[in-house]
Amino acid sequence: QAKAKQGCTWYLYNERVNRSAGSLADLEDELRRALRRDDLELHYQPRLCIETGRIVGMEALVRWPHAERGLLAPDEFIPMAEESGLIVPLGYWVIARALRDLQSLRESGVGELHMAVNLSFRQFQDSQLLATLERLIAERGVDPHWLEFELTETAVMRRSDQVRGTMNALAALGVRFSLDDFGTGFSSFVHLSRLPISLLKIDKSFVDQMAARPQNGRLVRAMIGLAHDLGLEVVAEGVEGAAQLGQLRRFGADQVQGYLISKPLPLAELRPLLDRGHRLEMRG
Ligand code: C2E
Ligand code: MG
Ligand code: MG
Ligand code: MG
């Protein structure tokens, strides 16, 4: 298995695509066309505040309903979009749609909700990123305070002045940043404290292993403690069981996201959950 530098997903992906229908170039063309025709979708996964049991936000996750291959998950086309640069227009499409849906939720009176959108490092290489984001936010008339961008450690660790500059400018508008998949990369808390990051998302792999051995649990508890000392809120990702939720609550995590609460859903299916003012009873 070829495992070139930062190319691992790419090769795996490439092979899979070659085995199935057309070539990768075809898929790229198809994605370009899908974008033009507005043929992508966003699903939203709620985030629950542990203390109140209420939904306080959601994460937008892109899906591609493909004519022959069915609903494609991001892992099946985001790596290609990043390689080809299509992630730039795709990213703007995602943000525009997420802002539109957030606005529509707020207009229908569904409380105060944060909207989190994933940003790839590659999107920062677009010199128009800041200006375009400012325009999209202004066009929608959404209070930037409700918008949050999720960045992975690899993106943040590049520590380029451009990334920091753009992040600071957006943070000044009120936009929040979270560090996604925390623990799977190589970031250090030192770098974290130099960037305008407000939340830490503990990766699912830690949540999964938490109950297996006491030291795994202690590791998660320590991560939460450190994050809090730095003034960061903690979101645990990939929470599937009630026992995990109980443990996270005892460790002091602030929010949970995962199948236990809900899978990512189309907006129409998420609405009833929000309307009910969904409140999860917690034990343990
Ligand atoms: P992520 O940002 O870490 O998103 C969380 C992923 O974990 C989502 O997969 C979600 O469906 C899944 N997940 C959440 N809770 C659970 C759970 O309890 N159990 C299990 N087994 N899985 C859970 P998804 O939607 O396939 O997204 C995968 C990745 O694709 C995301 O990881 C994100 O890095 C990327 N991605 C998704 N949408 C976008 C986008 O619009 N732009 C960019 N740049 N990347 C995106
Ligand atoms: Mg994310
Ligand atoms: Mg994540
Ligand atoms: Mg991830």
Side-chain angles (χ1 to χ4, degrees):
Q1 186 67 62
K3 197 172 177 177
K5 224 192 205 162
Q6 62 140 238
C8 187
T9 339
W10 176 250
Y11 285 113
L12 288 171
Y13 168 83
N14 205 343
E15 252 171 48
R16 207 184 77 90
V17 169
N18 286 339
R19 269 201 310 273
S20 52
S23 72
L24 200 54
D26 290 342
L27 199 71
E28 199 182 307
D29 284 343
E30 285 171 7
L31 180 58
R32 197 169 282 117
R33 207 174 316 132
L35 260 173
R36 214 164 36 226
R37 295 181 179 171
D38 232 21
D39 277 348
L40 299 178
E41 287 177 11
L42 289 185
H43 286 188
Y44 296 102
Q45 187 176 38
R47 272 196 208 162
L48 192 96
C49 169
I50 297 182
E51 202 179 304
T52 63
R54 295 194 182 279
I55 293 171
V56 290
M58 59 199 155
E59 176 175 6
L61 295 154
V62 69
R63 304 284 183 263
W64 178 11
H66 189 282
E68 286 102 47
R69 293 173 218 227
L71 195 66
L72 295 183
D75 292 346
E76 301 177 85
F77 59 94
I78 291 285
M80 171 267 281
E82 287 175 342
E83 292 278 332
S84 64
L86 271 178
I87 191 70
V88 170
L90 188 152
Y92 291 138
W93 183 90
V94 168
I95 292 158
R97 175 59 60 92
L99 286 170
R100 187 194 81 177
D101 288 347
L102 178 64
Q103 187 68 345
S104 130
L105 283 172
R106 295 184 62 82
E107 274 163 10
S108 61
V110 186
E112 315 208 307
L113 290 169
H114 288 276
M115 173 68 81
V117 173
N118 294 282
L119 265 193
S120 295
F121 175 74
R122 180 69 181 69
Q123 293 176 256
F124 282 92
Q125 292 172 336
D126 171 26
S127 61
Q128 295 307 302
L129 179 65
L130 179 59
T132 309
L133 291 178
E134 285 174 338
R135 179 173 57 77
L136 291 173
I137 292 169
E139 273 173 10
R140 250 324 134 187
V142 170
D143 179 347
H145 167 256
W146 297 111
L147 185 61
E148 178 186 316
F149 288 117
E150 300 195 359
L151 298 168
T152 60
E153 289 171 284
T154 21
V156 160
M157 280 306 285
R158 313 271 179 123
R159 283 184 296 137
S160 80
D161 289 342
Q162 198 209 346
V163 171
R164 199 173 29 224
T166 303
M167 285 177 75
N168 283 334
L170 289 167
L173 294 176
V175 173
R176 302 196 303 175
F177 288 94
S178 58
L179 195 59
D180 206 352
D181 304 343
F182 183 75
T184 59
F186 299 95
S187 68
S188 81
F189 278 94
V190 175
H191 295 125
L192 277 186
S193 57
R194 291 195 186 126
L195 291 164
I197 290 170
S198 314
L199 303 98
L200 205 72
K201 298 192 76 179
I202 296 181
D203 192 67
K204 178 178 189 299
S205 54
F206 292 93
V207 173
D208 285 342
Q209 289 156 25
M210 218 171 33
R213 308 170 73 186
Q215 55 261 54
N216 294 348
R218 285 198 291 271
L219 178 63
V220 171
R221 194 176 56 195
M223 280 161 75
I224 295 170
L226 264 166
H228 283 166
D229 283 347
L230 288 169
L232 305 173
E233 264 182 80
V234 176
V235 184
E237 288 196 277
V239 179
E240 294 181 347
Q244 291 175 333
L245 175 60
Q247 210 172 357
L248 287 161
R249 185 164 68 145
R250 285 195 299 281
F251 291 164
D254 303 291
Q255 297 178 29
V256 284
Q257 182 178 342
Y259 292 177
L260 177 67
I261 316 302
S262 168
K263 291 196 171 190
L265 297 170
L267 187 68
E269 290 171 44
L270 184 75
R271 268 182 196 274
L273 257 173
L274 301 171
D275 289 340
R276 258 186 272 125
H278 186 73
R279 213 173 169 291
L280 201 84
E281 289 312 321
M282 277 166 293
R283 296 163 297 273

